[in-house]
Each structure stands twice: as structure tokens, then as C-alpha cells.
Amino acid sequence: MYSVTRICAVKRTPSLFLRCKSTNADQFITINNKTYKSDPEFTNVTPSIISHVNRSLHKKPNHPVNILRDLIEKKLSSVDDAFTTYNNFTPVVSTFENFDSLGFPADHPGRSKSDTYYVNDKTLLRTHTSAHEMECYNKVDSTGKPGFLISADVYRRDEIDKTHYPVFHQMEGCRVWKNRSIDEIKSDLKVLQKKLDEHEMKLIVEDRSLENTPEENPKQQYMTDQEVDLVSQHLKRSLELVISEVFNQKINSMKKEKNSENIPNELKVRWVNAYFPWTTPSWEIEVWWNNDWLEVCGCGIVQQQVLLNAGYEKDSTISWAFGLGLDRIAMLLFEIPDIRLLWSEDNRFISQFTDGSINTFKPYSKYPGSTRDVAFWLADSSKDSIEIHENDLMEIVRNAAGSLVESVKLIDRFQNPKTNKTSLCYRINYQSMDRNITNDEVNQIQKQVETELVDKYHVSLR
Ligand code: FA5
Ligand code: MG
């Protein structure tokens, strides 16, 4: 999560800061009919990103992300009807909801402008569905159900390629035991275990986290060892049930379509230790698929502070939480080769899927693409240079090209030994999922990319 790749780190000069401030003062941004004051130091959302805010693929009929969400909600609710579902939260949240309420430290890289889309200094596009945990924990009493599931679009500044898109979808799941009754947790676990035993898919589970010492993934002081053990089992078995169901449906559809010789007859998963600021202990679950471990979901036992923030009484409650990525699992289940296809409005895409079933995507003819390189010298550490992060370059391309960009890759990096100046060359692949693009169109986009690089980051084109 939140990788940091800096391509040049040079301080912003005071004069530049002042100039930006006066030109951008009193500008406003409207998202979902609400207007926010922008902030010259923080605002980095772009019109291209804002145009995704109401697409809601997780609710779009016959869409793979919607089909997967529905499948998981139904399976989890089939155990003991314990979950309220929330699928309509707006993506604009406060820094408090996204970070502080979850105990993110002030210097956590996830807070940086290179990773997160800020509307202004206090408002951003959620980077994960955990941003709504506090609000939903607060509502548990009024719903009468001890758990909730939240599905939503989330936003992260990231690289550009076939598996990365700045908007993707997560499902958050949380389950609460308010009175810490061991009998109740045991009986809930029994019901769940029965459901798992009855499932036609038998998982081969490796739990690497059990090998570790408690210091490496500590429990919380207020909980007993027995409570941690039972609640962890409930969390892990819940996610194993989800994976059994989803991948079993995939294997059944492969058998029906007979389109592959490599139909697996068993499914391997493994639990590994993880770290999240608001859970401990924490884990991730990975699935062995196509000869590789696929990271599917992060989870853990919720830190008491989050429950206190949501208004619970001290030491009264135990809870687990998970956050699952929907897009990559959907791509794998439906065999969708490029993440941008999920956003396609082309009827040849959406007409291939039907709510309630998993089937293999049949590629239709791809429109021809076009490649351009942009090579430049980074500004040296003289007065007018400013910091540029690789994600800033990605954002410039994304803003100029929208969904017409397939990938952006660094193909050459060179440092002149005499001048010490660094030159970078990025290759941009332009290609549309839905139509032909013309050379003129690509040239214009490329020109815009170059102009913005020079204007904003003072590079010299080569
Ligand atoms: C989180 O976002 C945590 N909020 C998950 C969590 C929730 C932990 C509750 C503990 C308790 P992470 O950044 O690892 O964690 O993302 C969670 C899942 O989202 C990943 O396992 C992956 O399946 C998916 N995901 C993450 N980044 C991307 C991306 N760029 N594109 C597509 N899917 C992604
Ligand atoms: Mg992760």
C-alpha cells in the first residue's frame, strides 16, 4: 500500500509558492453538487478524476464489479444474517475520517499528496472504505445487526498500466461483539464453521501467521488470549468462506465453458502477517492462482481506539474488520485483460455479463494504439526547480489523455557525469478501448503533456 517513488527531490522555493497562492486563491471545486474551496497547497484532484465520482460500477447492473459484490454480500449474509450493507457513501471524506479516526500517524506516506487526491487540506477522495468504519460502528446499535459491509469506489494516485487505475473498488466488512460473551462468539463460530464444512470447495489453508512470535503481531492488552483466538478464527473462516464461494463459482464456470486445460481441482490460500494502523493483530490473505500468489484482502482485530472514537464504552467491545479489493478479483474471475475495460461504455463489453453469473470475457477487436516518448532533463537544484514525483507525471498524462492512455513506463534514465543533470525518458502508449484515435489527437495530447511538464516542473525537453 502507498508505495513512494521519488524521481527528484528538490525544495519548492518561496517565490514560487507565493506566486501559486495568489493565482489560485478563492477557487472552488464542485463534486456531487457540493462546492469545496480549493487550496493551492493541497488541491490535486483533476477534472478527469472527478468525472469518475458518479460511475458507481459496484452498483451498475450486469457489471463484473457489481456481480462480484453481490455474490460476496449474499454469501456472508447467508451465514447468520449479521450484516447491514452500505453501498451509497459519497467518496468525498475528511482527513479525519480517512486517516485520524483510524490512528494513521502524522507522517504516514498514505497522507502524502503524491499518493492521495486532495480536494483541500481537510477534504479528500477516500483512499479506502475504512474511511467509513467510524460512522458505521456508530450505527450498529440502531441497525440491530452486529456487522456491516461497505462497498465503494476508492481513489489513489498511482502508476498507469493494465492492473492499475486511479479508481478501484473495495468492500469493507466489520463484525462486532458488544458484550464480549465467550459463549456467543463460540456459537457464532460454530454456525460459520458448519457453513464452511458444507461448502463443496475445500480450501488448502496455510497459516504462516501462526509461526510468529506475539511481539511481531501483538494482541491488544484489553483482550484475553481466548478472545483473540476465537475472534481471529471467526474473521479468518469468514474470509475463507468468501474465497471458497467466489473461486468455486469460477472453477464451475470454467468447467461449463471448457475453455481451459488448467482447471484447478483444489484451491490453496495462505495467511500472512500484515500491518495496518487501526488493527492488531493484522493479516492478509493470498490465493494461489495462475502460478502466483494474489493478495486479495487485508484484515485484523480492530484497535480499541477506533471503537472509542465511534462512541463505544471502554473495554466493552471486540471487533474484526477486513478490506477486500473487488476489481482485481473481478478481472481474474471474468478474465478481463485490462483494468480500463471495467470503465468501458462500449456495449460489446457490458452486454457480455449477466447479474448472478461468472463467465469468461471474449475479447473483441482492439483499436490500434500509438506510442510517443517524452524525454527531458530534470531541473537542477537551482532556484526555480520544484519537486516532481513519478505519480505527478502519471497525473499529467492522465489529465491530458483520460482513458486514452494504456500505460506509461520509464524506458531510460541517464545522468550526465559532467553536469550531474539527470535525463528521463518515458514511453506513453495511447490506445482507446472504445474507438479509433487519430494521430492529430495523440499529438495534441502529447503536446499538452510536454507543456505541463515544462510549466509545472521546469524540466527541459530533449
Ligand atoms: C487497505 O486499503 C485497508 N483499508 C484494508 C483493511 C481494512 C485492513 C480493514 C484492515 C482492516 P490495502 O491498501 O492493502 O489495504 O488494500 C486492500 C485491498 O485492495 C488489497 O488487498 C487489494 O486487493 C486491493 N487493492 C489495493 N491497491 C489496489 C490497486 N491499486 N488496484 C486494485 N486493487 C487494489
Ligand atoms: Mg495490501
Side-chain angles (χ1 to χ4, degrees):
M1 183 187 197
Y2 304 134
S3 67
V4 182
T5 329
R6 209 165 283 286
I7 52 182
C8 171
V10 181
K11 287 266 168 343
R12 195 180 283 263
T13 61
S15 65
L16 189 79
F17 172 72
L18 287 175
R19 203 176 66 227
C20 290
K21 203 161 188 164
S22 57
T23 50
N24 280 353
D26 293 313
Q27 295 203 343
F28 294 90
I29 298 173
T30 303
I31 306 175
N32 270 350
N33 299 322
K34 259 187 96 171
T35 301
Y36 303 86
K37 195 157 183 239
S38 73
D39 176 329
E41 265 301 284
F42 271 87
T43 305
N44 61 0
V45 283
T46 59
S48 150
I49 289 299
I50 294 172
S51 74
H52 291 73
V53 159
N54 284 315
R55 295 286 304 277
S56 300
L57 303 184
H58 63 293
K59 296 188 289 184
K60 190 177 157 104
N62 303 316
H63 192 282
V65 175
N66 176 60
I67 296 171
L68 177 61
R69 174 199 54 74
D70 184 58
L71 187 74
I72 300 175
E73 280 178 3
K74 286 204 170 99
K75 196 67 205 174
L76 280 172
S77 295
S78 76
V79 180
D80 49 6
D81 195 20
F83 298 96
T84 307
T85 51
Y86 299 97
N87 295 331
N88 298 319
F89 284 128
T90 162
V92 184
V93 301
S94 64
T95 47
F96 182 79
E97 290 167 297
N98 201 83
F99 298 124
D100 304 275
S101 73
L102 299 164
F104 275 69
D107 60 353
H108 192 285
R111 292 185 186 253
S112 75
K113 284 188 294 179
S114 56
D115 288 30
T116 295
Y117 289 106
Y118 281 90
V119 177
N120 56 41
D121 64 335
K122 301 232 159 34
T123 318
L124 49 84
L125 297 181
R126 69 183 153 227
T127 62
H128 54 175
T129 41
S130 306
H132 301 288
E133 274 192 15
M134 196 181 79
E135 178 179 357
C136 295
Y137 273 123
N138 192 264
K139 288 200 264 202
V140 160
D141 275 349
S142 63
T143 63
K145 292 194 182 187
F148 51 85
L149 301 173
I150 309 162
S151 295
D153 38 335
V154 302
Y155 298 74
R156 292 186 195 174
R157 292 181 97 214
D158 216 330
E159 56 208 280
I160 301 178
D161 64 28
K162 285 178 193 307
T163 59
H164 287 85
Y165 200 75
V167 192
F168 59 99
H169 299 80
Q170 287 186 335
M171 181 189 288
E172 194 86 1
C174 296
R175 178 81 181 234
V176 172
W177 286 273
K178 268 203 90 167
N179 50 20
R180 296 175 62 180
S181 148
I182 287 290
D183 287 343
E184 193 180 323
I185 308 174
K186 275 187 179 161
S187 112
D188 289 341
L189 183 58
K190 214 168 137 190
V191 175
L192 176 60
Q193 186 68 55
K194 183 160 176 279
K195 199 87 188 169
L196 199 55
D197 292 341
E198 284 166 5
H199 204 284
E200 70 177 287
M201 164 68 81
K202 297 288 173 258
L203 292 184
I204 300 171
V205 184
E206 180 192 352
D207 196 339
R208 298 187 145 201
S209 69
L210 298 176
E211 296 158 18
N212 289 87
T213 59
E215 303 84 68
E216 281 173 284
N217 205 357
K219 80 169 182 78
Q220 295 170 65
Q221 284 287 327
Y222 82 104
M223 295 177 67
T224 65
D225 286 346
Q226 189 190 21
E227 284 173 332
V228 177
D229 178 49
L230 289 170
V231 173
S232 316
Q233 284 196 54
H234 194 278
L235 167 61
K236 288 176 174 175
R237 299 300 88 79
S238 298
L239 286 165
E240 286 165 14
L241 182 68
V242 166
I243 286 167
S244 303
E245 177 67 7
V246 166
F247 286 84
N248 190 43
Q249 293 234 9
K250 172 62 182 165
I251 289 169
N252 285 342
S253 110
M254 288 167 95
K255 285 181 185 156
K256 216 162 68 201
E257 294 178 353
K258 294 193 185 62
N259 62 351
S260 166
E261 289 118 52
N262 312 315
I263 301 173
N265 48 19
E266 56 177 36
L267 193 61
K268 273 197 288 188
V269 302
R270 70 176 185 195
W271 287 102
V272 297
N273 283 320
Y275 170 79
F276 300 101
W278 65 104
T279 54
T280 192
S282 308
W283 305 279
E284 275 173 345
I285 185 162
E286 300 178 335
V287 180
W288 183 253
W289 191 262
N290 284 341
N291 295 316
D292 208 357
W293 287 108
L294 175 77
E295 178 199 317
V296 171
C297 178
C299 64
I301 299 185
V302 175
Q303 293 267 14
Q304 153 124 287
Q305 188 56 50
V306 176
L307 303 171
L308 297 177
N309 293 345
Y312 288 78
E313 249 171 61
K314 193 164 183 296
D315 299 342
S316 67
T317 305
I318 304 179
S319 175
W320 60 240
F322 69 74
L324 190 144
L326 293 171
D327 306 60
R328 285 188 194 151
I329 306 178
M331 285 174 74
L332 180 153
L333 294 182
F334 295 87
E335 297 181 33
I336 294 167
D338 186 319
I339 195 164
R340 284 181 306 154
L341 277 164
L342 293 173
W343 297 89
S344 170
E345 307 260 27
D346 193 322
N347 198 43
R348 290 177 301 171
F349 176 74
I350 199 75
S351 65
Q352 294 198 22
F353 310 105
T354 316
D355 280 345
S357 69
I358 290 175
N359 58 286
T360 303
F361 169 69
K362 292 186 191 61
Y364 40 87
S365 65
K366 217 174 143 176
Y367 292 96
S370 185
T371 297
R372 298 286 188 285
D373 291 346
V374 56
F376 52 88
W377 293 106
L378 288 175
D380 61 25
S381 354
S382 70
K383 270 203 203 102
D384 66 342
S385 67
I386 86 170
E387 195 175 299
I388 178 166
H389 183 290
E390 190 168 88
N391 283 348
D392 296 324
L393 169 76
M394 299 292 168
E395 209 48 45
I396 287 178
V397 180
R398 207 161 245 148
N399 199 37
S403 62
L404 300 182
V405 56
E406 181 187 65
S407 62
V408 180
K409 288 249 147 45
L410 180 67
I411 55 163
D412 187 49
R413 184 187 183 106
F414 164 78
Q415 190 162 30
N416 183 320
K418 287 205 187 113
T419 61
N420 254 345
K421 284 183 98 174
T422 303
S423 151
L424 300 175
C425 180
Y426 281 87
R427 177 153 298 164
I428 308 176
N429 274 314
Y430 295 99
Q431 191 252 335
S432 166
M433 287 287 156
D434 302 337
R435 62 184 178 84
N436 267 314
I437 44 173
T438 64
N439 258 325
D440 278 355
E441 199 177 357
V442 174
N443 290 342
Q444 254 184 36
I445 297 171
Q446 183 73 6
K447 187 87 212 147
Q448 190 184 332
V449 169
E450 291 171 355
T451 308
E452 278 197 38
L453 270 173
V454 173
D455 285 357
K456 287 194 177 151
Y457 298 100
H458 305 185
V459 305
S460 324
L461 298 173
R462 299 188 63 185

